Amino acid sequence: MSTALAAARRRAVEGLLQATPVAVELGERFRAAGHELAVVGGPVRDAVLGRVSADLDFTTDARPEQVRPLLRGWADAVWDVGVAFGTLGARKGEVHVEITTYRAEAYDRTSRKPTVTYGASLEDDLARRDFTVNAMAVTLPDLRFVDPYGGLRDLAAGLLRTPGTPEESFSDDPLRMLRAARFAAQLMFHVEPAVVAAMTAMAERLDIVSAERVRDELSKLLLATAPRRGLALLVDTGLAARFLPELPKLRLEVDEHHRHKDVYEHSLTVLDQAIALEDEDGPDLVLRLAALLHDIGKPKTRRFEPRGGVSFHHHEVVGADMARHRLKALKYPKDVVDDVARLVELHLRFHGYGTGVWTDAAVRRYVRDAGHLLPRLHRLTRSDCTTRNRRKAEALRRAYDSLEVRIAELAEQEELGKVRPDLDGNAIMALLGVPPGPVVGRAYQHLLELRLDRGPLGPESAEEELRRWWAEQQQG
């Protein structure tokens, strides 16, 4: 072993010790009871990379019913996070641990759930891990570094490959094909050609994996450092077509007579630019989903114009419906579905006003329609400019700067985020002498439109306008 790899091993062990001394303490409890224990997988990989995690994964020869009493009296809390799969969870201070019995798991071709069988040794357990960089372990309490499949060497080389053949690994758990793309995005790794070939050949095997597991991997990928790398791999291997077919369909054919920008590359660039605009709160899943999906309505709405142009009329409305349908199918929470679909629907709203001076009414409507999504809409709209024409890009930037200034100016005068009519429903019913019903709703909407157009009217002017509207309604 080279000096560099030996140093990496030492760094991993020392990092684990410094970050989580409770690991050795737990290892001593297991050894005293006659059992083996090792830190395994991501925490070991991250320790080699110099990263510290408060979440530790352990593997052991002890069965769950033997692990539970060893945790009692040591851990502050114990829970059955996945006892059916041989896993127990616990918390000690700020450290969260999951302890899983040595195992091997595989899917059959008709089941969405893995069939779990327990393994006999640490080496057997490491053999069933997804990738070599996750098939390293540190035994406890003796701190022996175990790396039977060259994970340390692959980590140094930035290479993602499987401990055995990729066909065997992906047959055991097809979700690992998505993990390959996710790790490529998270770690900025190259994926071994044999792994890419297996992903391509076995893409249809992903169909047996539950939508929830696919969703979770997609979210982790999108929240990674470089999601474009992972997304491109999913598209190129045909995996994206199995669960997010709208993405590869953005690769529209372009002929010499009907030119338009590459919608697929444009969407990935918008995603990159949206990520660059995120604030200190960190990765924003809703923004990233909206950036990726904002143009998925274009394939359905593309029209070739008589003079050689191409149009995508109302693609934002069509795209919003498509985004809602796809995210529901992937079992995303309702609030995520609603927010992403709304951003897709609104992403062209700014361009509909042109580059002129924004009226107060236009500003109010823009803010009202965006609601709580306004900060995200700002980022999405700015990200959607991918033109190479510097003059055009600068003009768009200045126009949006102007809009944000107008919003800020008007916000100082009015509560833009809480625009309401000057009269509420009770006042409307009292003035018109009508009971609750559709009339009240129409009157309320009329006053709201006036409020958006003119700003605050005041109770007296609002009452006068309401009487005028009511007289017109009765005449009609």
Side-chain angles (χ1 to χ4, degrees):
M1 176 178 289
S2 71
T3 303
L5 291 180
R9 291 178 87 165
R10 284 197 306 275
R11 187 165 62 248
V13 173
E14 291 171 358
L16 286 170
L17 268 176
Q18 292 174 3
T20 53
V22 296
V24 174
E25 181 183 319
L26 187 58
E28 290 171 345
R29 289 180 68 90
F30 272 71
R31 184 173 63 178
H35 293 297
E36 300 173 0
L37 186 70
V39 185
V40 69
V44 179
R45 179 198 69 224
D46 290 345
V48 174
L49 295 172
R51 302 170 183 171
V52 177
S53 174
D55 297 329
L56 293 179
D57 295 327
F58 294 90
T59 187
T60 179
D61 62 338
R63 299 297 175 91
E65 62 272 16
Q66 297 170 311
V67 172
R68 190 176 284 105
L70 290 173
L71 293 176
R72 291 195 187 118
W74 175 83
D76 298 324
V78 179
W79 54 86
D80 296 345
V81 292
V83 69
F85 300 100
T87 300
L88 291 175
R91 178 179 57 81
K92 177 73 169 179
E94 298 299 317
V95 179
H96 289 79
V97 305
E98 286 192 1
I99 304 174
T100 303
T101 304
Y102 295 153
R103 69 188 191 193
E105 66 181 29
Y107 280 80
D108 63 39
R109 293 192 175 272
T110 60
S111 174
R112 287 182 176 268
K113 296 182 179 180
T115 300
V116 176
T117 56
Y118 294 127
S121 68
L122 175 59
E123 285 70 20
D124 288 343
D125 183 85
L126 295 178
R128 59 156 289 275
R129 299 278 160 174
D130 50 7
F131 303 104
T132 59
V133 296
N134 294 327
M136 300 180 289
V138 175
T139 62
L140 299 167
D142 57 323
L143 302 176
R144 179 172 61 93
F145 195 93
V146 182
D147 181 20
Y149 301 103
L152 196 60
R153 186 174 292 105
D154 290 342
L155 199 59
L159 180 66
L160 203 65
R161 64 184 183 90
T162 54
T165 69
E167 290 80 7
E168 291 174 338
S169 181
F170 298 155
S171 180
D172 283 348
D173 186 353
L175 189 71
R176 290 174 176 175
M177 295 186 286
L178 295 194
R179 287 194 194 130
R182 191 241 296 182
F183 285 126
Q186 283 182 335
L187 302 174
M188 303 287 285
F189 276 18
H190 296 288
V191 182
E192 186 185 46
V195 173
V196 176
M199 292 167 67
T200 304
M202 301 177 66
E204 67 176 15
R205 284 279 288 150
L206 189 66
D207 295 350
I208 70 168
V209 180
S210 69
E212 290 84 356
R213 297 185 76 214
V214 171
R215 173 204 64 207
D216 290 346
E217 281 301 321
L218 175 61
S219 295
K220 291 175 184 177
L221 189 160
L222 285 172
L223 295 173
T225 304
R228 173 192 280 260
R229 179 190 293 258
L231 292 167
L233 181 59
L234 292 178
V235 171
D236 292 342
T237 56
L239 282 162
R242 313 305 303 190
F243 68 95
L244 191 62
E246 296 81 5
L247 184 58
K249 285 181 180 178
L250 292 177
R251 285 179 159 175
L252 299 176
E253 293 182 6
V254 181
D255 62 41
E256 60 181 344
H257 302 295
H258 300 93
R259 296 183 179 275
H260 57 77
K261 68 176 64 178
D262 184 329
V263 183
Y264 170 71
E265 285 297 328
H266 165 75
S267 297
L268 294 181
T269 300
V270 172
L271 174 60
D272 288 339
Q273 294 182 168
I275 291 171
L277 292 177
E278 288 175 340
D279 58 23
E280 64 277 1
D281 291 335
D284 184 339
L285 179 62
V286 167
L287 176 63
R288 295 187 182 197
L289 280 167
L292 181 65
L293 303 179
H294 78 284
D295 272 349
I296 59 172
K298 281 191 170 180
K300 281 190 175 182
T301 58
R302 182 170 65 161
R303 297 292 182 270
F304 295 127
E305 303 298 339
R307 296 184 180 180
V310 180
S311 66
F312 303 96
H313 294 310
H314 307 300
H315 76 269
E316 72 280 13
V317 178
V318 173
D321 287 341
M322 293 172 64
R324 184 178 298 279
H325 172 78
R326 180 55 52 202
L327 296 178
K328 281 184 177 179
L330 288 170
K331 309 296 186 182
Y332 275 97
K334 184 180 184 301
D335 60 333
V336 173
V337 174
D338 291 343
D339 286 353
V340 173
R342 186 62 170 157
L343 284 170
V344 172
E345 182 182 359
L346 293 175
H347 83 272
L348 285 184
R349 185 66 61 87
F350 163 73
H351 300 282
Y353 288 103
T355 57
V357 177
W358 282 66
T359 65
D360 289 352
V363 172
R364 292 187 193 101
R365 282 185 163 80
Y366 194 81
V367 173
R368 189 273 307 269
D369 291 347
H372 72 282
L373 295 171
L374 184 62
R376 286 178 171 132
L377 183 59
H378 287 332
R379 297 186 181 102
L380 179 60
T381 303
R382 290 184 180 277
S383 302
D384 197 21
C385 177
T386 61
T387 179
R388 295 180 182 178
N389 185 319
R390 291 185 179 180
R391 183 175 298 178
K392 182 178 179 181
E394 180 62 18
L396 286 170
R397 183 192 66 77
R398 286 198 305 268
Y400 208 85
D401 286 346
S402 175
L403 169 60
E404 291 205 57
V405 169
R406 292 289 298 113
I407 291 173
E409 290 174 346
L410 207 56
E412 290 183 2
Q413 306 167 27
E414 309 174 21
E415 290 187 272
L416 286 185
K418 300 178 181 179
V419 174
R420 298 288 188 275
D422 296 84
L423 302 176
D424 62 17
N426 290 328
I428 291 171
M429 288 188 288
L431 186 66
L432 300 184
V434 296
V439 168
V440 179
R442 293 200 303 273
Y444 185 93
Q445 187 62 37
H446 173 70
L447 291 176
L448 177 59
E449 292 299 321
L450 288 175
R451 171 69 175 81
L452 290 168
D453 284 336
R454 303 185 195 175
L457 300 176
E460 291 184 4
S461 295
E463 289 177 5
E464 182 180 341
E465 292 293 343
L466 182 59
R467 288 192 181 95
R468 182 181 297 115
W469 173 84
W470 184 233
E472 293 173 354
Q473 296 297 304
Q474 291 178 317
Q475 291 173 5

